[in-house]
Amino acid sequence: MAKSIITWVEGLKGLSGIVIVFNHLRMCFWPESHDAISEDGQLYLVQLPFVGLVCAGNLAVRLYFVLSGFSLCYRPLQLLEENRKTLVFQRTSRSLQSRFWRLLVPSAVASAVSLVMAQLGAFTHSKTICRAFFDTTPVATSVAADVWLWIKDTFLDVWIVGKHHFHDSLWCMKILLVGSYLMYLLVALRVEARHSYWVWIAIGCALLSPAVASIGATDLAGFVFGGIVAFVEVNLAAAKPSTTSLIKRTTHYAAWFALFILSLLLGSYPSGEANAPWCSWMYTLVRCVIGIESTRQAMVWWMNVSAILICICISHLPYLQNALSLPCMMYLGKTSFALFLLHPLILRSLGGHLFSMFSHWHGIGYDIAALIMVAIVMVLSLIASHFWNIYMEGKAHEFIEKHLILESDAGPALVK
């Protein structure tokens, strides 16, 4: 069971990474599809429920948070079930020390590359394209000013306010760090209190409250509920269908699959205005029942609820687990963080130059040029992520484990 769970989690991370790239490509070339109904009256396929999941980047990010909470908690909770508390503390100690460095080093290098590219004028053509994603492309000033700004953003602002001038996608680093430390704290609480899962549930529900939504901390709920999913799998042994009764087994899978379809519908909630009949009821519900007025906060709330339900459902659907455990999905999962860091640089540099060139070719319309760019950016991002994962992240992790982590009595084998 342990191997099966970890593989589908990795595969779902990879799928989330691909969806994030598609979402940024949509923001670049078809920003009119941001709302459920376009201002120009044109209907895009990605504005329809379920179809829009192909580029549901906000849902994909929240899925990554839930899966991170699951991954951080699963093995420690498994060790607790085996009554190996010493190993739990040793493993958590190493993870606690390494987590910040494993987030800082890749993000710092990626933002430094973006700084150099901005100084070299690689983003020039991107700034001439009036599209939402290109509007946040970094603008170079003097070298000294940019280097100082990079230092301040990399080591301070991105971890406090979630903002980086040279890599705006790093807004989630703060949530990843705070969410990780929150899960380490909850694991420690679980060691001392056998029935602390009620505390986990209470914290998770509190993080979904309108008061928390108003300060922008709702995304932390994904980490907690990811840990709860791991808790259920390891400690409560969630009910499995009987292998002797076809009717019971079919009913069990049908119920979880129906909930899975509902969670996908909730995840189709638009990133912009919920101004279409198929999704307006969702905004009305969250406004009247939960008390959230802001459309942005409503979107974040629904994305978190959808991500939580999706992970819970997949944990009970072995066929979906098997699909997400395919070698190609596992590979995407291993390179998902690198893909997240690198694709904005490729899109805003080479993508901007090539799109400007293609769009001026005779006989090639806007949509054809944009589709060509989608294919080129995706392929180049996957290739760059492969080598980045091997030669940058891999080497950085080895250095962190050897030189920045205080050794425990259990030795390095705990981090495997």
Side-chain angles (χ1 to χ4, degrees):
M1 175 60 71
K3 182 178 178 182
S4 173
I5 291 175
I6 295 302
T7 52
W8 74 256
V9 167
E10 199 73 21
L12 191 53
K13 280 185 179 180
L15 183 61
S16 298
I18 296 295
V19 171
I20 290 173
V21 178
F22 277 131
N23 178 57
H24 287 162
L25 289 166
R26 175 190 65 106
M27 291 172 63
C28 289
F29 303 113
W30 297 281
E32 298 83 2
S33 64
H34 190 66
D35 299 331
I37 297 179
S38 305
E39 292 183 1
D40 58 6
Q42 183 176 357
L43 178 64
Y44 295 85
L45 286 176
V46 293
Q47 291 176 304
L48 299 175
F50 301 109
V51 180
L53 293 171
V54 175
C55 54
N58 287 300
L59 173 62
V61 171
R62 275 74 195 183
L63 270 173
Y64 202 92
F65 293 157
V66 177
L67 297 172
S68 295
F70 184 101
S71 301
L72 290 169
C73 292
Y74 180 74
R75 183 55 182 160
L77 291 176
Q78 197 175 50
L79 291 173
L80 277 176
E81 189 68 13
E82 299 168 2
N83 201 27
R84 302 165 70 182
K85 295 184 178 181
T86 302
L87 290 181
V88 173
F89 279 118
Q90 291 171 340
R91 182 184 181 91
T92 304
S93 174
R94 291 182 65 86
S95 299
L96 199 62
Q97 296 178 68
S98 66
R99 185 62 171 173
F100 174 70
W101 297 109
R102 295 181 74 164
L103 291 173
L104 171 65
V105 174
S107 61
V109 175
S111 59
V113 172
S114 180
L115 165 64
V116 173
M117 294 174 72
Q119 284 290 330
L120 294 176
F123 303 137
T124 304
H125 284 278
S126 297
K127 295 301 294 183
T128 64
I129 303 175
C130 297
R131 292 295 180 262
F133 191 63
F134 288 144
D135 288 343
T136 56
T137 300
V139 179
T141 55
S142 67
V143 175
D146 281 354
V147 170
W148 167 246
L149 184 60
W150 175 84
I151 293 173
K152 183 174 72 73
D153 287 352
T154 301
F155 297 98
L156 188 63
D157 287 358
V158 76
W159 308 107
I160 297 177
V161 297
K163 181 179 180 181
H164 201 296
H165 178 77
F166 294 99
H167 203 311
D168 60 320
S169 295
L170 296 181
W171 65 270
C172 64
M173 291 296 106
K174 177 186 71 171
I175 299 173
L176 285 172
L177 184 66
V178 175
S180 300
Y181 287 157
L182 175 61
M183 298 318 298
Y184 295 141
L185 178 63
L186 292 179
V187 168
L189 178 64
R190 174 69 181 88
V191 175
E192 299 299 330
R194 180 70 179 176
H195 299 289
S196 61
Y197 56 87
W198 291 111
V199 177
W200 291 36
I201 295 173
I203 292 175
C205 293
L207 288 171
L208 289 174
S209 67
V212 174
S214 64
I215 61 174
T218 304
D219 288 329
L220 294 176
F223 281 86
V224 178
F225 278 100
I228 292 174
V229 175
F231 196 104
V232 170
E233 291 294 331
V234 174
N235 296 290
L236 301 183
K240 304 297 179 182
S242 172
T243 57
T244 58
S245 173
L246 178 61
I247 296 178
K248 289 183 178 180
R249 188 163 65 247
T250 303
T251 304
H252 175 91
Y253 290 144
W256 281 109
F257 188 74
L259 183 59
F260 177 70
I261 296 299
L262 175 62
S263 65
L264 293 182
L265 175 63
L266 301 180
S268 301
Y269 192 86
S271 300
E273 293 294 327
N275 49 5
W278 72 265
C279 60
S280 59
W281 65 270
M282 296 170 64
Y283 174 69
T284 303
L285 181 64
V286 77
R287 184 177 51 127
C288 297
V289 178
I290 308 300
I292 296 177
E293 295 289 341
S294 167
T295 54
R296 167 70 183 177
Q297 293 174 9
M299 181 274 295
V300 172
W301 194 88
W302 279 119
M303 293 302 102
N304 277 285
V305 171
S306 174
I308 292 165
L309 290 176
I310 286 173
C311 292
I312 292 175
C313 292
I314 293 178
S315 69
H316 289 81
L317 295 170
Y319 296 109
L320 290 179
Q321 292 181 25
N322 293 337
L324 292 170
S325 300
L326 294 173
C328 59
M329 300 302 297
M330 291 291 295
Y331 170 78
L332 290 175
K334 292 178 180 178
T335 59
S336 59
F337 190 48
L339 182 65
F340 171 78
L341 292 174
L342 296 181
H343 80 271
L345 309 184
I346 296 174
L347 177 56
R348 284 169 167 157
S349 57
L350 186 60
H353 284 276
L354 293 180
F355 181 75
S356 297
M357 179 180 66
F358 290 151
S359 59
H360 288 88
W361 283 6
H362 179 70
I364 294 185
Y366 179 91
D367 289 336
I368 299 298
L371 289 173
I372 293 174
M373 285 315 310
V374 168
I376 292 176
V377 170
M378 180 59 72
V379 172
L380 292 180
S381 297
L382 290 172
I383 294 174
S385 300
H386 172 79
F387 290 103
W388 176 279
N389 190 59
I390 295 175
Y391 296 106
M392 209 300 295
E393 283 193 43
K395 300 298 181 182
H397 291 176
E398 290 179 9
F399 178 84
I400 291 169
E401 295 296 336
K402 288 182 180 179
H403 302 287
L404 299 179
I405 306 301
L406 297 176
E407 290 292 341
S408 62
D409 295 336
L414 283 175
V415 299
K416 294 182 179 179

